[in-house]
Amino acid sequence: MGMAQQSLLATMQKTAALASSGIITKPNTMMPIGTAFAGTQPVSFSQVLNSAIGNVNALQHSASLKQKAIDMGQSDDLSGAIIESQKASVAFSAMMQTRNKLSSALDEVINIPL
């Protein structure tokens, strides 16, 4: 596994650990939402999801641009294009696994007998 994949995996593991402990953090700051900072606003769950989807989209767009540059002969950085493609693939797989977990959790909540 390359450094980029290890870094992404470490970030995902840290986020999963924080989520399971009930502490949700602002993206890229790792500060608890409830921390009192002047001028900071709480981050909603939908904002975190939208940010994650935006990051996956940006990775896929970057991989597409690198591949297109190679296809058109503008670049010869094949290894860079492959790495970007793998980053996008890992990020997309993680997003889909998160979606599947959220979907199954919602199904469990709906099926709880009242």
Side-chain angles (χ1 to χ4, degrees):
M1 220 182 329
M3 293 297 285
Q5 286 91 357
Q6 288 176 346
S7 173
L8 180 61
L9 182 61
T11 303
M12 290 170 53
Q13 289 171 339
K14 186 182 280 186
T15 304
L18 288 171
S20 67
S21 70
I23 300 173
I24 298 178
T25 61
K26 290 184 178 182
N28 300 324
T29 62
M30 298 311 236
M31 294 281 202
I33 288 176
T35 307
F37 289 107
T40 60
Q41 296 292 325
V43 177
S44 72
F45 185 69
S46 64
Q47 288 173 326
V48 172
L49 285 179
N50 286 335
S51 174
I53 291 169
N55 288 339
V56 171
N57 184 40
L59 286 171
Q60 289 181 333
H61 185 67
S62 174
S64 175
L65 288 176
K66 286 200 176 225
Q67 183 176 359
K68 188 175 182 180
I70 288 175
D71 291 344
M72 297 181 75
Q74 298 170 346
S75 174
D76 62 350
D77 185 20
L78 183 60
S79 61
I82 291 172
I83 290 171
E84 286 296 316
S85 177
Q86 288 299 311
K87 282 184 195 177
S89 176
V90 168
F92 184 77
S93 294
M95 183 182 70
M96 293 306 296
Q97 289 177 8
T98 303
R99 180 201 63 133
N100 292 341
K101 288 284 187 180
L102 288 171
S103 178
S104 66
L106 179 64
D107 289 341
E108 287 181 27
V109 168
I110 289 174
N111 291 327
I112 292 175
L114 298 175

